[in-house]
């Protein structure tokens, strides 16, 4: 059974949409978390798309930003493009809470499905998605071209 957010170890988190002033912090976490971090341009572009959301997790209202998620809501589908938590804030429920927040916003806006792609080698992320009820529906061979790494495509009914 899924634990409700308010009894999650990350219950102290609050969420808000990112603005231009948050991009530096997002890029910091991005650099910690990814071999090929998103550029400033890419992050800023997501702030401008009507269908895109960049949601931040803060350590309490106005507290330090400890993670973020980028997702699109298009028709009846949430598509998660990116989720990361700061290295110092890992394994305390930030990633899980961000995923649940995105799913809940999707549900409120009529989405029935959530989809994402993840590197085959990304055990922490795959474990998180499986724990949340995502299932593998396919593989995109060599999707991450630089390392010739496959993407696992995962889906969850909302
Ligand atoms: C993947 C990531 C977002 C997880 O964030 P997190 O805040 O540490 O995750 P949570 O604390 O919410 O973990 C929730 C569950 O996910 C699974 N999980 C998370 N990290 C894990 C790890 N390193 N190993 C195994 N399982 C893990 C566990 O089931 C965990 O539940 P538990 O702690 O009760 O065992 C984080 O590791 C990260 O930012 N990685 C770098 C960026 C990245 O790869 N993002 C995914 C892109 S597709």
């Amino acid at each position: 059974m899924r634990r409700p957010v308010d009894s999650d170890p990350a219950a102290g988190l609050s969420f808000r949409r990112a603005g231009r002033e948050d991009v530096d912090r997002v890029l910091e976490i991005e650099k910690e978390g990814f071999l090929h971090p998103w550029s400033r341009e890419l992050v800023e572009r997501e702030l401008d798309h009507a269908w895109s959301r960049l949601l931040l997790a803060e350590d309490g209202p106005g507290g330090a930003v400890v993670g973020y998620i980028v997702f699109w809501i298009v028709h009846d589908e949430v598509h998660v493009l990116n989720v990361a938590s700061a290295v110092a804030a890992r394994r305390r429920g930030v990633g899980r809470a961000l995923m649940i927040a995105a799913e809940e916003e999707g549900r409120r806006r009529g989405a029935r499905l959530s989809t994402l792609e993840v590197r085959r080698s990304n055990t922490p992320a795959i474990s998180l998605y499986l724990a949340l009820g995502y299932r593998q529906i396919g593989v995109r061979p060599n999707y991450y071209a630089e390392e010739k790494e496959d993407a696992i495509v995962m889906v969850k009914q909302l």
Side-chain angles (χ1 to χ4, degrees), residues 3 8-10 29-30 32-34 66 68 80-87 89-98 116-119 122-129 131-132 144:
R3 286 178 290 173
D8 195 279
I29 298 175
E30 192 57 30
E32 283 181 4
F34 293 98
V66 287
Y68 59 88
V80 179
L81 284 88
N82 207 353
V83 57
S85 50
V87 169
R90 297 248 172 105
R91 289 315 276 273
R92 42 166 280 207
V94 174
R96 179 198 301 270
L98 283 163
L116 55 86
E117 279 119 12
V118 57
R119 284 178 187 266
N122 195 343
T123 308
I126 293 173
S127 305
L128 168 65
Y129 305 143
L132 285 168
Y144 303 98

Side-chain angles (χ1 to χ4, degrees), residues 15-91:
F15 300 97
R16 65 174 174 86
R17 284 184 71 176
R20 283 266 186 290
E21 66 283 6
D22 299 305
V23 172
D24 285 348
R25 178 61 181 144
V26 167
L27 290 172
E28 263 175 32
I29 298 175
E30 192 57 30
K31 282 180 194 140
E32 283 181 4
F34 293 98
L35 197 57
H36 303 290
W38 280 18
S39 64
R40 178 176 296 275
E41 188 195 2
L42 216 55
V43 173
E44 287 184 345
R45 201 184 301 163
E46 294 306 319
L47 296 176
D48 296 333
H49 291 320
W51 57 86
S52 185
R53 289 282 178 280
L54 202 172
L55 203 64
L56 304 174
E58 290 181 333
D59 239 345
V65 172
V66 287
Y68 59 88
I69 187 164
V70 184
F71 59 102
W72 289 358
I73 302 178
V74 181
H75 302 298
D76 65 347
E77 186 177 324
V78 172
H79 184 67
V80 179
L81 284 88
N82 207 353
V83 57
S85 50
V87 169
R90 297 248 172 105
R91 289 315 276 273

